């Protein structure tokens, strides 16, 4: 019988392979400028990682479509399960499946071009010139490899997480605030990156604070990060910081 830990380890190794392929095909994530966000990007900001089945990348919108080229890079190697192009943004999802024992296991890569979009029409974050100029190169552990990738600066990454506001993002925000605090320059940058800037505080008030206020939050946080370092005292500390943000 295949153990869950074996599946997780094989996923990580497979993800390392496809990330390395993206790096080679894009001249070290520079042509086009590809930046890692999501769960893998989180590893640049907190001293622990969470399990994830996909790797999220963003690219700025240029004259042509970067996702056209990226799709061609993996033709015959990975399955295209989503491909959208709109006036200001595009989206590409690629899947690689493999067998492990009697199970079919999948990893995916998402490429968001121009904008990162959530579940509502207001949940939009722009991938602007400043986002690309301020990104940084970091060494991240993926499986048994240490890989050089680009991640956003902390300010931009924090905004992405708050605007997304899914349950996993709320737990990520708690980890970010606990270990790094609130980034400076937040109101100004929200005004630049978020077309509906009032959404930012609304997500904090209506999504993030209610989720963190739930007494079960600590258990869900520990389950995701597989550590007991975060407890009720830390939750209350982070919650207080988030509540103060609404008064600014």
């Amino acid at each position: 019988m295949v153990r869950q830990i074996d599946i997780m380890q094989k996923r990580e190794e497979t993800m390392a392979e496809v990330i390395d392929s993206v790096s080679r095909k894009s001249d070290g994530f520079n042509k086009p400028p590809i930046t890692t966000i999501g769960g893998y990007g989180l590893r640049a900001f907190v001293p622990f990682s969470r399990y994830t089945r996909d790797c999220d990348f963003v690219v700025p919108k240029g004259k042509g479509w970067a996702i056209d080229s990226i799709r061609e890079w993996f033709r015959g190697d990975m399955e295209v399960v989503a491909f959208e192009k709109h006036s200001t943004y595009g989206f590409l999802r690629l899947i690689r499946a493999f067998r492990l024992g009697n199970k079919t296991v999948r990893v995916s890569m998402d490429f968001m071009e121009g904008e990162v979009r959530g579940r509502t029409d207001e949940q939009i974050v722009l991938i602007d010139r400043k986002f690309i100029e301020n990104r940084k190169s970091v060494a991240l552990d993926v499986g048994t490899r240490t890989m050089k990738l680009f991640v956003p600066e902390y300010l931009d990454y924090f905004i992405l997480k708050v605007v997304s506001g899914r349950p996993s993002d709320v737990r990520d925000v708690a980890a970010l605030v606990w270990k790094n605090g609130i980034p400076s320059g937040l109101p100004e940058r929200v005004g630049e990156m978020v077309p509906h800037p009032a959404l930012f505080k609304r997500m904090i008030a209506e999504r993030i604070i209610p989720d963190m206020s739930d007494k079960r939050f600590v258990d869900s946080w520990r389950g995701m990060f597989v550590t007991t370092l975060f407890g009720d005292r830390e939750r209350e500390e982070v919650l207080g910081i988030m509540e103060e943000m609404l008064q600014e």
Side-chain angles (χ1 to χ4, degrees):
M1 180 180 294
V2 179
R3 300 175 301 167
Q4 184 63 26
I5 187 63
D6 295 327
I7 294 174
M8 293 168 65
Q9 290 173 345
K10 181 60 177 177
R11 273 202 178 105
E12 276 278 297
E13 293 302 325
T14 303
M15 188 61 73
E17 293 174 8
V18 295
I19 291 174
D20 181 65
S21 184
V22 174
S23 176
R24 287 185 284 103
K25 293 174 185 294
S26 64
D27 189 21
F29 304 103
N30 285 297
K31 298 178 181 179
I34 298 174
T35 306
T36 305
I37 59 171
Y40 282 98
L42 183 71
R43 299 179 184 186
F45 302 104
V46 297
F48 30 71
S49 60
R50 63 174 172 83
Y51 174 63
T52 180
R53 301 182 183 196
D54 57 15
C55 190
D56 300 320
F57 299 103
V58 293
V59 292
K61 179 70 181 73
K63 292 182 180 179
W65 287 97
I67 55 173
D68 281 340
S69 298
I70 295 168
R71 181 175 64 169
E72 288 302 311
W73 292 347
F74 294 95
R75 184 177 294 277
D77 182 37
M78 297 184 73
E79 179 186 359
V80 177
V81 294
F83 186 71
E84 303 176 20
K85 293 192 294 186
H86 303 273
S87 59
T88 57
Y89 71 96
F91 177 74
L92 169 66
R93 173 169 291 168
L94 299 168
I95 295 286
R96 176 176 288 179
F98 56 88
R99 296 289 296 178
L100 193 61
N102 61 349
K103 291 183 177 293
T104 299
V105 184
R106 295 175 175 82
V107 298
S108 67
M109 292 194 299
D110 288 355
F111 293 87
M112 289 154 274
E113 184 166 356
E115 300 170 1
V116 176
R117 290 193 159 233
R119 294 181 176 132
T120 73
D121 291 338
E122 286 187 304
Q123 286 175 288
I124 302 170
V125 176
L126 306 179
I127 305 305
D128 60 9
R129 179 180 296 178
K130 186 182 291 188
F131 184 101
I132 300 302
E133 290 175 348
N134 292 343
R135 70 188 185 140
K136 60 181 183 178
S137 177
V138 297
L140 299 179
D141 292 333
V142 184
T144 57
R145 305 190 194 189
T146 299
M147 316 184 75
K148 283 289 189 72
L149 300 96
F150 282 95
V151 299
E153 69 167 335
Y154 180 52
L155 174 59
D156 290 355
Y157 187 78
F158 185 78
I159 292 171
L160 281 167
K161 282 294 174 183
V162 170
V163 171
S164 181
R166 298 168 302 177
S168 62
D169 294 308
V170 176
R171 294 189 285 268
D172 289 348
V173 167
L176 291 168
V177 173
W178 176 37
K179 290 300 182 182
N180 303 281
I182 301 299
S184 60
L186 197 52
E188 296 80 8
R189 190 64 177 129
V190 168
E192 295 170 347
M193 288 183 71
V194 185
H196 305 280
L199 172 72
F200 186 81
K201 282 193 173 181
R202 195 162 74 245
M203 292 297 291
I204 294 172
E206 298 177 3
R207 187 72 56 81
I208 293 174
I209 287 177
D211 279 11
M212 288 186 188
S213 298
D214 192 318
K215 293 295 185 181
R216 296 168 295 181
F217 182 77
V218 168
D219 288 336
S220 67
W221 191 98
R222 288 176 170 179
M224 188 171 79
F225 288 106
V226 197
T227 176
T228 59
L229 292 175
F230 186 88
D232 282 324
R233 183 179 65 181
E234 289 76 16
R235 179 182 69 89
E236 291 293 339
E237 177 186 336
V238 171
L239 193 54
I241 293 172
M242 301 306 295
E243 289 171 341
E244 287 178 6
M245 287 182 63
L246 296 181
Q247 310 307 318
E248 298 175 355

